[in-house]
Amino acid sequence: MEIEFQRVGKKYESGHDALSQVSFHLRQGEMAFLTGHSGAGKSTLMKLIMMIERQTTGTILVDGVDLRTLGKHAIPYHRRRVGVVFQNHQLLFDRSVFHNVALPLQVSGADDGQTGKRVRAALDKVGLLGKEKLNPMALSGGEQQRIGIARAVVNKPQLLLADEPTGNLDPRLSAEIMNLFQEFNRVGVTVMVASHDLALVARMRHRVLTLNQGRMVNDGGFA
Amino acid sequence: MARPPQQRSAAQRGATRQAHSAKQKPAWRAQGFDFKLYLRQHQAFLIESLTRLLGHPLASAMTIMVIAISLSLPGGLFVLLKNVQSVTDRWEQQSVISLYLFSQLEDTEALSLSHQLSSRADVLSVEYISKEEGLRYFEQSSGYEQIMSTLPENPLPIVLKVIPKAIVDLNTLPDLQALRDHLQSLPQVEYAQLDAEWLQRLATMISFGERFVYAISALLVIAVLLIVGNTIRMAVESRRDEVLVMKLVGATNSYIRRPFLYMGFWFGVLGGLFASICILMLSWWVSSPAEQLIELYHAGFELQSFNAVEIIMCLTISAVIGVFGSWVAVSRHIRDIELQ
């Protein structure tokens, strides 16, 4: 999946300019990091791609389709093509690891046989195959984060978005998580990871987009 | 991770192609509709929502009992009304329209009117009561012999007792009233009286009762809608996180709504079921004194309760109320819960 922002701005009702004049082009199969201080607009940018928020100015093209042309009813189908790891929308603790990961498949109407296969494949990729029957509460922070990643990729999305996926993990676990994203990118998934861990981002040697107070101040080279 | 230029342009071409086809047919409509899968999903929701209901037995039971009580009141009144109607339907009384003719009318004229009337299709027979016969009846029944004998002449008119073919009950009453009105309009007739005043009163009372039952039913149906709506709203609120995650992974609003609609369905059906049980128990409880009471007036009457068709109707209506109540609550609420 490719994403193109053309002079995109987002002004909230409070008058706060979360993003202004942001332009970039993320190509099919590319991997990029999105950095910047907290409040720089990283989350807003990702929400615009997910159509959780709508831009106030500019154009967002996803696979060449202008997101403004998609109506309310098209939003769920758009979201099914994107896997997300968001910090604040994490796991449901009233069901097992398996059922957490299976949620995107159930929502899009996959049959049980296929669901089982795909969930196990996703859990295998993140190294949690043996823990599908457990409640996520029984797992460590790093493991919980990986359940979230398994849920994001179980639908075989063409785009993977992650907002601070290593937020409260120690450096070793953070590196593991980042390596996971890199693996998904290697099989052709477009990946965008928002992170303020500059040291870690620099080590990964991918394209880096930097936001400062809602403006794109750096695009390209490694941080 | 830069890619070779050829590959990049191929990807772009693919993207524009996709964009083009998306214009003709939105991607979200392009997916085929699998009816079997749809049914299976619904079945799963039906069972899941019932399990959820049973997972909170006390709260669910309270809601269900409130619904049941609200529904059993109009249901009970309906049964009462049905019984009153069936009593009058079985009365099978011959009605009589008494025609009091003008006193100056000659006997021959009265007789010819009597013949004329008895040939009518809706008249069974006409009994001719002359002035003298009338006087005799009067003296026998009233005991005013002396007073009558002091009068210079017989003051009583000729009376024709018209017996209509139709048996009087609530259904034939309007026809009989029309017949009476017609007879009243004849020039020879001073006054026509339909001997069914009690029935007219009853008919009025029943139509009053019907309206009363409708009004009560409407109010209680609204109450049930509010109860279901409120319960479902709380259920949605308690599953807010789940709703948000489902929206994030691409669930449509109708998909999110479905389990809650089924929950409303179960509340409705179970409420209706308990209401039916309440009504059956109530009619059983009042049956023996009611039957004794009715037997004083009229034999061969059986108290009627809810029959199978009415129970099914009660369940259907309550299920519809349940689904509708939850639909109103859930549609509003799910739209309000948005990702931020």
Side-chain angles (χ1 to χ4, degrees), chain A residues 27 77 79-80 95 107 109, chain B residues 8 28 37 242 247 250-251:
Chain A
R27 292 185 179 82
Y77 302 91
R79 287 182 186 158
R80 287 178 198 177
R95 59 196 75 190
V107 156
Chain B
R8 196 179 294 167
W28 56 277
L37 181 74
E242 189 182 344
K247 284 196 171 190

Side-chain angles (χ1 to χ4, degrees), chain A residues 2 25 27-29 47 50 52 63-65 72-74 76-77 79-81 84 86 88-90 92 94-95 103-104 106-107 109 111 151 185 206, chain B residues 1 3 8 11-12 15-16 18-19 22 27-29 31 37 40-41 52 239 241-242 244-253 255 335 338-340:
Chain A
E2 67 171 343
H25 188 178
R27 292 185 179 82
Q28 166 73 44
K47 281 178 196 163
M50 284 303 282
I52 293 170
D63 280 346
V65 178
K72 240 171 145 182
H73 295 285
Y77 302 91
R79 287 182 186 158
R80 287 178 198 177
R81 300 196 298 154
V84 282
F86 275 9
N88 46 349
H89 296 298
Q90 275 307 325
L92 300 172
D94 64 344
R95 59 196 75 190
L103 204 63
Q106 284 167 353
V107 156
D111 66 57
R151 191 182 69 194
N185 176 243
H206 285 290
Chain B
M1 199 182 261
R3 283 173 184 272
R8 196 179 294 167
Q12 271 169 339
T16 34
Q18 235 176 325
W28 56 277
R29 280 193 198 277
Q31 295 157 342
L37 181 74
R40 221 176 28 245
Q41 274 187 349
R52 240 173 227 283
R239 291 166 72 181
D241 287 343
E242 189 182 344
L244 287 172
V245 170
M246 291 215 283
K247 284 196 171 190
L248 188 70
V249 298
T252 55
N253 279 354
Y255 181 91
R335 236 180 296 133
E338 261 312 329
L339 288 161
Q340 281 173 355

Side-chain angles (χ1 to χ4, degrees), chain B residues 182-250:
Chain B
H182 171 72
L183 297 176
Q184 171 77 73
S185 70
L186 295 175
Q188 304 93 325
V189 177
E190 187 174 16
Y191 182 64
Q193 188 187 29
L194 175 62
D195 176 23
E197 233 175 273
W198 62 273
L199 195 69
Q200 275 162 289
R201 275 193 213 130
L202 190 68
T204 326
M205 269 166 64
I206 285 175
S207 80
F208 170 74
E210 268 174 353
R211 287 197 181 194
F212 184 71
V213 171
Y214 289 149
I216 293 267
S217 306
L219 286 176
L220 289 168
V221 162
I222 292 169
V224 172
L225 278 175
L226 294 175
I227 295 160
V228 173
N230 195 46
T231 308
I232 297 292
R233 201 181 51 77
M234 289 196 297
V236 176
E237 197 46 53
S238 75
R239 291 166 72 181
R240 194 185 180 89
D241 287 343
E242 189 182 344
V243 170
L244 287 172
V245 170
M246 291 215 283
K247 284 196 171 190
L248 188 70
V249 298

